[in-house]
Amino acid sequence: MTIIDGKKISSDIKNELKTSVAAYRQKVNTVPGLTVIIVGEDPASQVYVRNKAKSCKEIGMNSEVIELPKEISQEQLLSRIEALNKDPEVHGILVQQPLPPHIDEYAITMAISPSKDVDGFHPENVGQMVLGNLDKCFLSCTPYGILELLSRYNIETKGKHCVVVGRSNIVGKPMANLMLQKLEATNSTVTICHSATKNMSELTRQADILIVAIGRGNFITKDMVKPGAVVIDVGMNRIEDASRKSGYRLVGDVDYEPVSRNASAITPVPGGVGPMTIAMLLKNTLQSFMRANSIEAL
Ligand code: GUN
């Protein structure tokens, strides 16, 4: 059984990006820049945003974090985005979600220029992905990271049955769409399960590759997994744990211990899919920079 080490792969990718950023800096005398906007003081979001900024700096990219009060109006937020759209030093714009309830997330997604939408949330990027024009879009970072894991662990995907559990716009839908594209690390037969799926375990048990992003701790149990399956766990659920100083611990959507005994390969939580998301955000930002400067890949 292989434990898929997302921490190591993300670190490898960050090292590769660092080398590229240094090389491109020589070539065009400028570096990619990512701006992250955070509205309000949600502690989990603050940690994510801090990590994004730290990772940018580590690989030599510019990063700016704009912290805005939770009372900011939608119009004010839109005008900040408009200014960033026009700023040639900014190649990636990310507005951390969730946003306060008085702000319409869809309006914010639509306001970010598709050419700087390194989250890959804008309908133009989603549409190009669905059409298979992957050179014309940004891929949503978590599914993109999962493709990298499958590819770097040489997991055979062609013609395999991939079951995606979850249908969110950020993970489930793009993931399922990518797995059915005719690419090296995809080209699978795809089934999507969600909260209204009947007899879910009958379907998950057919999976050669099971990708779970349903947001429910330990949801996938051993009996739902075919022996030898590859299991990718996107879940990040806090459960109470009095033995920890923080009072909680993180568990995935997959009941790790028993399922790992059935799987041929599995991602742990933490240290699996999670670290890949930031690495792919940085990769998208570099991609945006290269497009803006008409740079071919080295
Ligand atoms: N909140 C949690 N994950 C993400 C993400 O990948 N992008 C944005 N914009 N917000 C998030």
Side-chain angles (χ1 to χ4, degrees), residues 133-154:
N133 298 327
L134 302 195
D135 57 331
K136 293 187 173 58
C137 66
F138 294 111
L139 297 180
S140 184
C141 300
T142 301
Y144 191 10
I146 292 169
L147 293 193
E148 283 288 331
L149 289 178
L150 295 173
S151 156
R152 290 181 189 233
Y153 273 83
N154 295 315

Side-chain angles (χ1 to χ4, degrees), residues 2-3 6 8 21 42 52 64 81 93 107 136-137 145 168 242 245 252 261:
T2 304
I3 295 175
K8 180 188 178 295
V21 169
D42 176 58
K52 286 168 187 168
E64 183 192 20
I81 292 169
I93 304 169
K136 293 187 173 58
C137 66
S168 69
K245 212 165 79 185
R261 276 183 261 126

Side-chain angles (χ1 to χ4, degrees), residues 94-97 119 121:
L94 180 148
V95 179
Q96 186 69 22
Q97 294 182 0
D119 257 330
F121 291 172

Side-chain angles (χ1 to χ4, degrees), residues 83-249:
L84 295 171
N85 282 341
K86 293 192 186 122
D87 185 340
E89 311 236 314
V90 174
H91 304 95
I93 304 169
L94 180 148
V95 179
Q96 186 69 22
Q97 294 182 0
L99 287 166
H102 67 278
I103 296 178
D104 175 5
E105 276 180 2
Y106 176 72
I108 301 306
T109 299
M110 293 303 288
I112 297 171
S113 165
S115 67
K116 298 189 179 187
D117 166 40
V118 285
D119 257 330
F121 291 172
H122 191 285
E124 186 171 318
N125 284 314
V126 177
Q128 294 286 21
M129 175 204 64
V130 172
L131 293 173
N133 298 327
L134 302 195
D135 57 331
K136 293 187 173 58
C137 66
F138 294 111
L139 297 180
S140 184
C141 300
T142 301
Y144 191 10
I146 292 169
L147 293 193
E148 283 288 331
L149 289 178
L150 295 173
S151 156
R152 290 181 189 233
Y153 273 83
N154 295 315
I155 289 167
E156 178 72 59
T157 52
K158 185 178 175 185
K160 299 288 180 187
H161 188 184
C162 175
V163 177
V164 177
V165 182
R167 57 174 156 185
S168 69
N169 288 337
I170 297 181
V171 184
K173 282 184 205 164
M175 189 77 245
N177 257 293
L178 284 166
M179 290 310 291
L180 61 80
Q181 302 286 340
K182 204 168 174 180
L183 302 170
E184 277 290 310
T186 61
N187 214 358
S188 299
T189 302
V190 178
T191 299
I192 308 176
C193 298
H194 48 75
S195 53
T197 299
K198 293 199 169 71
N199 304 325
M200 195 186 292
S201 55
E202 271 175 32
L203 295 165
T204 59
R205 266 203 301 272
Q206 292 175 32
D208 302 308
I209 300 166
L210 181 62
I211 303 178
V212 192
I214 198 162
R216 287 161 68 174
N218 297 329
F219 179 80
I220 298 289
T221 48
K222 185 167 177 253
D223 56 302
M224 297 171 80
V225 180
K226 178 164 82 173
V230 173
V231 180
I232 307 290
D233 187 353
V234 184
M236 277 273 216
N237 310 284
R238 283 183 179 195
I239 61 166
E240 278 184 31
D241 185 343
S243 72
R244 300 282 174 107
K245 212 165 79 185
S246 60
Y248 71 87
R249 70 189 155 94

